[in-house]
Amino acid sequence: MHDNLPPTPASKTEMSAELWNSAVRVLDTNWAGDHMVPSRRLYPHQWSWDAAFIAIGLAYVNPTRAWRDLRSLFEAQWPDGRVPHIVFDPATAEGDYFPGPAFWDVPAYGNRAARGSTGIIQPPMHAIAAWEVYRRASAHGANCGQEARTELEWLYPRLVAQQRYLTTDRNLGRGGLASIVHPWESGLDNSPAWDEAMANVPADLALLTTHRRRDLDVSHAAHRPTDLDYSRYVGLVLSYRADGYADAGLLDRHAFAVECPAFNSILAAAELSLAQIARELGLPAEAAAHRDRAEQLTTAIVKRLWNPATGTFHALDVHTGKLSPANCVSGLLPLMLPDLPAELVESIMTEMRSERFGLPVPSYDRTAADFDTMRYWRGPVWINVNWLIRRGLLVHGFRDEAEELRLAMVRLVHRNGHFEYFHPATGEGLGAPTFSWTAALSLDLLADRSVPTYVKAG
Ligand code: 2M8
């Protein structure tokens, strides 16, 4: 890795240098030839939204690898435009991750062999990543700039196809937003945001006798989703798999369909990044169309997912038409959108500053009776969502809080290590200890060049 790039004034301090170097080491260890694994033991394949967060930080130290990672992911894109949530590494044994390639049993497509990926998706962070990598890489001299241009041109139509899939085939609720059809598609797997919708999903614990969880061999059971969660996760894959992962008519035969505010905010923010990319590639009419779509998505998010009673956003269960009552970090993420009406921005800020959240933001309401400091997306602090929150703070001009959050994240990772997630009170590291997106985003936070280009005017 060429870690000789100037790591910015902040990294002149000893703490920053230590953190910078340790992050580079994690990313070096987790590089698997043509992609990055999130963690060697717990997640030994390539994950979709991880690749995006990883590329954003990796771009500072090795832009070639950042582009390679995104390219490996999009080489596995399906003909309908979906980007699979896992691209399986054929060199990794079936038993090293559950559910593995044989369980998903995805057919061959394009020039890809069967069982090369899963059939579900994750939040479309990739247009945001492509634009951020391009901005960083093109600042690193002529060669990086040329490579960046070639990669951006290669990615652009594929990113557009990804958005098309999500806004059409996945517009299951017919209200202009994308539905997720499995909690894994949210990236926030066992978030309380799905509790109500998941209660209507059949749970067959016997499935876990035929299909053994591998995560518990390498992680603490109290830090992971429960067996009840996993039985439903497995059942939902079987349900989607039964019709070859087809989306037409899915609502009638599949028990879980939810519109998530975080997923849809990322979808809208991706349109803004695509507008930047299209402009850079000399496609002004396409740039304008992307901006319009971002506005339409923002309007739909406000119309369908805002709850005036709580003053924040909530997940919508498409089957019942009900908003989830849970106050989760996903409800704060529409802050990323520059077109969000000012009174809603203020309301989210009030919620974020309240005793329920605070900086760094936990994944769930600290005051909820079932707030769980250890269990995955039901309480712990995650670096990727805090990175997105910081982006939102910058978009709306909350510079002091954005800086407070940046420093809080840097301190948290420096003190505790590049863990997957952190105890929201003590900062203790939880989950995988050398986790790629934590390392990559630490580089980005140290370099502090992440002011989004869509900062609201005035
Ligand atoms: C977690 O999800 C996977 C399933 O996709 C798992 O628990 O096995 C989530 O934190 C998800 O957001 C993340 O992309 C993935 C890999 O880091 O792990």
Side-chain angles (χ1 to χ4, degrees):
M1 290 222 168
H2 34 106
D3 52 351
N4 54 343
L5 297 170
T8 79
S11 65
K12 280 185 193 140
T13 66
E14 209 173 297
M15 171 181 98
S16 302
E18 273 173 21
L19 185 57
W20 183 274
N21 293 335
S22 60
V24 169
R25 278 197 298 277
V26 169
L27 295 176
D28 229 352
T29 307
N30 289 351
W31 183 251
D34 63 358
H35 67 277
M36 191 77 77
V37 293
S39 129
R40 284 268 166 203
R41 295 187 69 215
L42 191 54
Y43 309 113
H45 300 283
Q46 183 186 38
W47 260 258
S48 168
W49 80 328
D50 297 60
F53 290 117
I54 290 163
I56 289 168
L58 190 55
Y60 292 101
V61 291
N62 197 328
T64 300
R65 282 188 180 176
W67 290 122
R68 181 64 246 179
D69 206 21
L70 290 174
R71 192 180 263 263
S72 294
L73 180 70
F74 277 81
E75 279 170 352
Q77 185 171 31
W78 286 31
D80 64 8
R82 86 182 73 187
V83 175
H85 110 290
I86 302 175
V87 180
F88 290 118
D89 179 353
T92 299
E94 175 75 29
D96 283 356
Y97 179 76
F98 175 77
F103 181 79
W104 289 91
D105 201 20
V106 160
Y109 57 89
N111 58 0
R112 313 281 299 185
R115 300 186 169 178
S117 75
T118 64
I120 61 169
I121 43 112
Q122 270 192 328
M125 273 297 301
H126 315 90
I128 299 171
W131 181 241
E132 296 298 333
V133 176
Y134 181 80
R135 287 172 59 210
R136 287 153 184 62
S138 36
H140 294 163
N143 282 347
C144 286
Q146 204 166 10
E147 175 186 52
R149 179 85 191 184
T150 306
E151 294 303 314
L152 200 65
E153 280 172 1
W154 186 85
L155 274 170
Y156 176 69
R158 291 163 173 85
L159 293 164
V160 171
Q162 176 187 32
Q163 296 290 111
R164 193 218 57 81
Y165 168 75
L166 295 172
T167 51
T168 54
D169 299 36
R170 283 304 189 86
N171 182 7
L172 301 179
R174 298 277 148 239
L177 296 182
S179 288
I180 53 165
V181 299
H182 195 296
W184 284 336
E185 294 199 316
S186 69
L188 319 172
D189 301 5
N190 64 344
S191 167
W194 331 126
D195 284 359
E196 312 269 306
M198 283 295 265
N200 296 325
V201 173
D204 178 4
L205 278 165
L207 283 173
L208 296 185
T209 48
T210 32
H211 305 290
R212 207 177 69 80
R213 289 180 66 175
R214 152 84 180 148
D215 57 322
L216 299 184
D217 297 347
V218 288
S219 215
H220 201 300
H223 302 178
R224 295 283 304 172
T226 61
D227 275 355
L228 195 60
D229 292 331
Y230 256 80
S231 68
R232 291 189 164 113
Y233 297 160
V234 169
L236 283 173
V237 175
L238 294 175
S239 156
Y240 199 25
R241 190 183 83 176
D243 276 296
Y245 304 101
D247 295 310
L250 189 59
L251 268 191
D252 300 332
R253 58 175 195 276
H254 192 72
F256 184 87
V258 167
E259 293 174 4
C260 165
F263 189 106
N264 281 286
S265 298
I266 291 170
L267 184 68
E271 289 293 345
L272 293 174
S273 293
L274 283 172
Q276 302 277 17
I277 295 172
R279 206 175 50 176
E280 181 72 12
L281 298 181
L283 305 166
E286 291 199 24
H290 289 305
R291 273 195 298 274
D292 288 350
R293 278 199 286 276
E295 234 178 276
Q296 287 156 14
L297 283 162
T298 303
T299 305
I301 290 169
V302 171
K303 188 167 164 217
R304 292 172 72 78
L305 309 183
W306 175 253
N307 182 348
T310 59
T312 183
F313 291 88
H314 295 261
L316 175 77
D317 182 342
V318 178
H319 281 298
T320 63
K322 286 194 188 142
L323 289 177
S324 151
N327 297 312
C328 300
V329 68
S330 46
L332 308 177
L333 282 175
L335 191 65
M336 294 168 68
L337 303 173
D339 297 330
L340 203 63
E343 63 278 15
L344 270 54
V345 171
E346 275 313 318
S347 188
I348 290 184
M349 291 302 294
T350 304
E351 178 71 0
M352 187 182 300
R353 291 168 181 146
S354 79
E355 57 175 353
R356 284 184 288 283
F357 290 98
L359 301 181
V361 179
S363 42
Y364 183 37
D365 175 356
R366 291 177 197 265
T367 67
D370 55 349
F371 176 68
D372 188 330
T373 53
M374 301 280 192
R375 203 179 289 282
Y376 222 33
W377 291 96
R378 302 185 73 89
V381 166
W382 290 74
I383 294 299
N384 66 331
V385 288
N386 275 279
W387 186 91
L388 292 171
I389 292 277
R390 176 169 178 264
R391 190 176 164 97
L393 290 169
L394 289 169
V395 162
H396 293 284
F398 296 101
R399 293 191 164 270
D400 292 347
E401 269 149 315
E403 184 57 6
E404 187 193 327
L405 180 53
R406 186 181 79 83
L407 292 173
M409 283 191 271
V410 164
R411 272 195 299 267
L412 186 65
V413 183
H414 180 253
R415 277 191 200 142
N416 302 286
H418 295 279
F419 273 86
E420 188 182 2
Y421 42 104
F422 300 88
H423 189 294
T426 65
E428 180 198 350
L430 303 167
T434 47
F435 192 65
S436 296
W437 82 40
T438 303
L441 294 177
S442 295
L443 293 179
D444 189 65
L445 294 168
L446 287 170
D448 194 18
R449 286 175 210 145
S450 56
V451 179
T453 30
Y454 268 100
V455 175
K456 205 168 178 157

